[in-house]
Structures are given as structure tokens and as C-alpha cells.
Amino acid sequence: MVLENILNTIKFPEDLRKIPKESLPKLAQELREFIINIVATKEGHLGASLGVVELTIALHYVFNTPNDILVWDVGHQAYGHKIITGRKEIFHTNRQLGGISGFPKRSESIYDTFGVGHSSTAISAALGMAIASKLKGGTDKQHIAVVGDASIASGMAFEALNHAGVTDTNLLVILNDNAIGIDPSVGALKNYFTKVKLDGAKEADNIFEALNFNYSGPIDGHNLTLVISELERLKKVPGPKVLHVITTKGKGLRQAEENQVTYHAPGKFDALTGDLAPKSNNVQPAKFQDVFGKTLVELASKNERIIGITPAMPTGSSLKFMMDIYPERAFDVGIAEQHAVTFAAGLAAQELTVFCNIYSTFLQRAYDQVIHDVCLQKIPVIFCLDRAGIVGEDGPTHHGAFDLAFLNCIPNLIIFAPRNEMELRNIMFTAQQGLTLPIFIRYPRGRGKILEWQKPFSKIKIGKAEVIKEGSEIVVLTIGTIADNAKEAIEMLSAMQQEKIGLVDMRFLKPLDEMLLHQVFKKYETIITVEDGSAIGGLGTSIGTFAASKGYKNKIEIIGIPDVFLEHGTISELQEIAGISSEKINQIIQKNL
């Protein structure tokens, strides 16, 4: 007799609530298999969602979602949630252009109560919703925030806990404790959670009780019966509460449990064995992050004043190379971008040479610190902004679309975007020799194009652009790796047309190479600027401002990411939509010929 597939009977949580409790473990197994089978072929985030399968089922089983409000922090762990809230049939479109988002998204489903993607926002959002319910008289409504142990250590999570502790709201914080975010969790709070798990916490020592939360746990997050009974009990407990749940990231897939960093987002793998898809034997250019990481180790071996910092991204940023070789000089400060920036400033204020590596999208979280603690004081921190520009399938929460624009308006800084791997290597070499201002070096996600990039260092002159190709009528000004698209766009033209087009890599957004710009504006009738950042406030804006201030009347066309939040899709698809693909740049050039 073939047992019925329970998951196929569930479209929405009201269907789930009709299932007998004793059948829920089978459902958990089916949900795990469904996630594994889809992610194996379509790619995405795996380990986090596998770790919370039982918790996901229990939450929707016990609480009356969407009337009771469930907020997932970050959203890496929300795949099971999406599958049982009406999106099972379209889940195969996850993270693809026109498909569902890899993160909870309000416009996608009533069950996605708050859009997330960056960590540590769930408690603040859920508290806001809980107070709104109270003001509107909905005192029975439940509000649940599911937060990981890496996320709860962030400053914003603590700010929310501090506020929530003096309210009498129906707020339940579920601490999903698996000792890992994307990399292993770090810090004193992680050590505290480990102690709680091993020893049990004395009430006097409990950090959550001290913040006026009713604390329970830790409990086994894979024991469905126990989780359901505890959630049922907590529904009746008034005021702010914390339930500490112990889970295993990657639960149900042996390799994902054993190698949690790799299987956070493993790419394609064999759904039955869990083995990763074999890597191509073709020699490929290095990833920009590895060029950063290996170059930093090389520089640090000769310059003992060099320090490396990352907020919770040692593997993703490749600072791990330095952490392995010089552990006393490389710091993972956890999900704490504000702290990372000011910590870097403190070190640099004492004459150390500090490389602070932050993803472009996460630097947005430390904007005041960049202005107040670094630039205002002219402290020469070297910021390396990974994942700048369009990042692809992670979508609008992760695109590094705004760094050029939001940094451009701040005084006392240098902004540089390398065209290739050697330029990244050489600007790092140049910066560690000593600058009088902070520098922001932004580079994209993924691989470069040069195999032999580990060449001897050469110094880059600050504020100096580079002419790649001379022309006669039109010049294309680029910044960063988008120069490749512009070069391809020019190569699509006929030989006679190509002679008319010049190409300049500006390299520096601040300071601009004004000497070269004067030559450019005198030589070319039409200036086209191309950038893989917001068309407002970046390179195009600076070139337009320069022209206006110097009285030039040349035609200027600005190509960049338009005034929208780009959705998710492949980088090439999104560049086409944004109008910065080589084909789209070619069309703009042809229009101006």
C-alpha cells in the first residue's frame, strides 16, 4: 500500500491544521525532500530551510497565520514557509527572473508579513506590528519573530529586545539556535548560548530574563511534539517571550549537516547523495573575493601593521585566508556592520593599516559611522566593498546598486572601482602604503577574466583615469568592471564606426581626473557615461556636474541602473533590463553616431 503524500494535500496552512499530529513527522520528511529536490537543480539557500522544517510546520500548525503574524529574520530559512503558504506549485521558479523571491516579500503573499533579506530586523518589525495590534484593540493577535543566534547578536536586535522588554505586547521571539549563520557564529553571546545548552542557565544569569522577557528552553527544535506543545503553552502567556530552540542547520542531508558553510548555498548537487555537482576541470579566472583575500595575505606577510575586519562574512569575503594564517590580526565581528566600521576607525586612529571588507549592500547599514566616525575625522580606513553592482538571484535586498551614489556626496574620501583583478590588487598595494583619506574600493560578485593576475605590484596614482581607446566623435566613460560591457559594445560596431568611439576607464569617482576630463570635453562632441550603480548620484551625475561647472555644452548621456529596485534574475538578464548590457550600450552608441 502506497502511503499518501501529505504535502500534496496542503496548499495553505488551514489544510495543514487538519492533519493529525501523529502524521506531522511524515510531513516534515516530505517537506525536506521537496526542498532538497528543488534546490539540487535550481540552486538557492539550502541549510537554513532544512534546519527549521519542524519549526515551520509547528508555527503554522499552532498559530492562525496569516491573522497571527509570523516574521522570519533574514529569510534564508523561509523556503518551507513559502511551500506551505500557497507557493508549492511555483517554488521551482525561486530566485529566477519573473519567479518568486528567495526571501519573504510582502507583495508576493499575505503570509509574508514583512520583507527581509538583511539580518536582525524581525524583532523590531514584529514589535511594531504587536503595538499596532494593541492600539487597534487586537489584544488576542499573536506576533512571532524567528531569529537566528547569529542575527540576535546584532545591535539592532538588541535595540528591539530592549524596547520590547518594557511593553506588554503579544510578542514571541523564537531564538533558532544552530550556532551558525552563513559562517559559524562568533562572540560572547554565542559562548553564552553554548553554556546555556550545556549547563542550563541559572535564572539570575539569563540575559533575556534580565530584559523582562519570559524565557523558556532550550528545547529540541526537531521534536515536533515538544515544539507544538511549547508553542501552545506560550500562546497563553502574556507579554514578551523568548523560546530558545536548538536546531541543526542542514538537518536531513548528511553533507549539509557536516559541512554547513558550503551547504548554506551549495549550488547544484545530487538530491539523493547530497554530493556537489563536479567542478569543471577548465582553468577559470579567480573570483574577485579571492583576489582580495590572497592579496591581503601577501601584503600582510610584508606589512605587520595590516589588520583585516569583516562583519560575519569571512568565507564570502575571503578574509578567511588571513584569519587562517594571521588569526590575531583578522577579525570576524559578527553581524555588526556599524561596529565593524567604527572598530576599524579606532584601529586606524592608532596608526594601524585596516582593511574592512563589507558587502556593498551591508555598508548601507553603517552609513552614519562612515560619515561621522571615518570621513569627518579623515581616518584612512581601507574599505573593500564586495558584491558591488548587480548581484543576481538574491535580488533587491542584495544588489550593491547605491554605493557609488551614497558615498559620492560625502567629503574626505576616495572612491575607486577596479576594471579587473590586477587593478584591485594594485589599489590594495597602493592603499596600504599610506593614504591621508579613507578609500572605498568596490568590486563585483563572481569571477574576473584574467588567469595570470598575480603579477608584481605597481602603484596607482590617486585620481588618475586611464584611456583604453582613442576615438574622434563619441567617448564612453566607465567605472569598474562595466568597462568590459562597454568594450564589447564598441567591438560590435563596424571598423569604421569603431574608429569614432573612445573609451576611458575613470577608475576614481572621487577625486575625478579633471585634467583628463577637460581633454575629453574638448575632443568629443558626445559623452556617454556607463556605471553598474544608480544612474542618480554616481559617475553620470559627477560628469554632468563637472560639465555644468566648467561651462561645457557637449551632449551627455547617462547610462546606469534606473530609479527602481531591480528584481532578481541572472546578472546578464538584469543588466539587459537595466540598460547596461553590451547590447544596450551598443544601441545608445549607434543612436548617437
Side-chain angles (χ1 to χ4, degrees), residues 531-553:
E531 57 201 298
D532 62 341
S534 169
I536 301 169
L539 176 64
T541 298
S542 287
I543 299 302
T545 302
F546 169 83
S549 67
K550 306 300 180 189
Y552 289 113
K553 306 287 193 233

Side-chain angles (χ1 to χ4, degrees), residues 159-175:
E159 291 169 25
L161 288 168
N162 184 52
H163 181 191
V166 294
T167 69
D168 58 352
T169 48
N170 264 349
L171 175 68
L172 171 60
V173 175
I174 298 195
L175 170 58

Side-chain angles (χ1 to χ4, degrees), residues 195-224:
K195 181 172 176 286
V196 168
K197 281 183 270 194
L198 294 174
D199 308 335
K202 300 188 191 92
E203 198 165 305
D205 293 336
N206 191 293
I207 193 166
F208 298 106
E209 296 279 4
L211 288 166
N212 291 337
F213 275 76
N214 184 311
Y215 172 88
S216 20
I219 65 167
D220 177 2
H222 301 299
N223 183 333
L224 251 170

Side-chain angles (χ1 to χ4, degrees), residues 74-286:
V74 185
H76 287 146
Q77 71 275 47
Y79 286 6
H81 158 82
K82 290 199 168 204
I83 291 161
I84 61 176
T85 55
R87 287 163 280 184
K88 177 173 174 281
E89 302 308 319
I90 55 169
F91 189 71
H92 64 280
T93 69
N94 184 41
R95 303 172 83 246
Q96 296 172 37
L97 186 67
I100 63 170
S101 168
F103 300 96
K105 187 175 180 183
R106 291 181 72 209
S107 60
E108 193 177 289
S109 169
I110 192 171
Y111 290 90
D112 290 1
T113 57
F114 201 75
V116 292
H118 294 183
S119 91
S120 317
T121 60
I123 305 173
S124 296
L127 177 61
M129 293 168 176
I131 286 177
S133 296
K134 197 175 163 211
L135 291 171
K136 293 194 287 187
T139 51
D140 293 334
K141 197 167 186 167
Q142 304 287 328
H143 310 83
I144 307 102
V146 183
V147 187
D149 57 290
S151 293
I152 208 164
S154 171
M156 186 173 176
F158 264 90
E159 291 169 25
L161 288 168
N162 184 52
H163 181 191
V166 294
T167 69
D168 58 352
T169 48
N170 264 349
L171 175 68
L172 171 60
V173 175
I174 298 195
L175 170 58
N176 173 35
D177 183 358
N178 57 22
I180 187 164
I182 293 173
D183 281 282
S185 301
V186 295
L189 199 61
K190 184 270 261 188
N191 294 340
Y192 167 77
F193 291 147
T194 303
K195 181 172 176 286
V196 168
K197 281 183 270 194
L198 294 174
D199 308 335
K202 300 188 191 92
E203 198 165 305
D205 293 336
N206 191 293
I207 193 166
F208 298 106
E209 296 279 4
L211 288 166
N212 291 337
F213 275 76
N214 184 311
Y215 172 88
S216 20
I219 65 167
D220 177 2
H222 301 299
N223 183 333
L224 251 170
T225 306
L226 179 59
V227 175
I228 287 171
S229 70
E230 198 57 16
L231 292 176
E232 293 280 14
R233 182 185 72 78
L234 287 168
K235 258 171 93 170
K236 303 178 186 76
V237 175
K241 310 162 275 286
V242 169
L243 174 60
H244 188 167
V245 174
I246 309 298
T247 60
T248 301
K249 190 170 184 178
K251 178 76 172 175
L253 188 68
R254 180 181 56 80
Q255 290 93 327
E257 291 183 34
E258 292 172 358
N259 194 344
Q260 295 173 328
V261 173
T262 298
Y263 281 80
H264 170 73
K268 289 185 169 66
F269 63 94
D270 186 307
L272 290 174
T273 65
D275 295 336
L276 297 178
K279 284 196 167 67
S280 164
N281 289 326
N282 297 338
V283 179
Q284 291 181 291

Side-chain angles (χ1 to χ4, degrees), residues 383-385 388 403-404 407 413-428 430 438-443 460-466 479-480 505-511:
F383 288 96
C384 294
L385 307 188
D403 51 10
L404 291 174
L407 292 168
L413 56 73
I414 300 163
I415 303 169
F416 179 88
R419 184 173 75 252
N420 56 40
E421 302 94 305
M422 273 150 17
E423 291 259 289
L424 172 56
R425 184 173 163 76
N426 286 333
I427 196 67
M428 289 174 67
T430 303
I439 185 168
F440 292 79
I441 305 163
R442 55 105 68 180
Y443 50 90
I460 289 177
K461 188 173 180 190
I462 300 299
K464 194 85 184 81
E466 188 174 327
I479 186 162
D505 173 16
M506 292 305 297
R507 299 161 99 204
F508 292 90
L509 182 60
K510 287 184 89 165

